[in-house]
Amino acid sequence: MTKREVHGYAIGGLAGGESKDDFWKMVAVSAKSLPDNKPRYTMGIGFALDLVVCTALGSDMYDCVFPTRTAVSYRNAAPYFVFWRL
């Protein structure tokens, strides 16, 4: 893949059921094998901690479900909180 002239690389394709350690190991292995002068886009980020760890491992951009998941969870819970009246 690195011999092809592309604008950047995507890291992902895991099933989502793997442990965090396995996910982070795959991101680390992938990022190390990709050129430093091209952006690295990591798919499947699910939590804020993943953003921090994957950044430290060499990722530049993300596909993150965290904001949507958080918004939906809090919207569904809102009726139970008096102080969240709109």
Side-chain angles (χ1 to χ4, degrees), residues 64-76:
C64 183
V65 299
F66 179 73
T68 303
R69 182 184 297 147
T70 302
V72 169
S73 295
Y74 283 115
R75 193 191 89 203
N76 291 338

Side-chain angles (χ1 to χ4, degrees), residues 10-14 23 27 41-46 54 59 61-64:
I11 300 169
L14 299 171
F23 175 75
V27 171
Y41 163 71
T42 301
M43 301 179 283
I45 301 295
C54 289
S59 295
M61 298 176 288
Y62 311 93
D63 177 353
C64 183

Side-chain angles (χ1 to χ4, degrees), residues 1-12 30-31 33-43 58-62:
M1 290 297 294
T2 58
K3 293 189 188 314
R4 296 181 70 195
E5 185 56 40
V6 296
H7 297 290
Y9 296 93
I11 300 169
S30 299
S33 67
L34 297 173
D36 290 332
N37 64 337
K38 303 278 183 159
R40 293 172 231 149
Y41 163 71
T42 301
M43 301 179 283
S59 295
D60 301 304
M61 298 176 288
Y62 311 93

Side-chain angles (χ1 to χ4, degrees), residues 13-26:
L14 299 171
E18 66 280 337
S19 70
K20 289 292 182 193
D21 286 338
D22 289 341
F23 175 75
W24 293 334
K25 283 177 191 174
M26 291 308 302

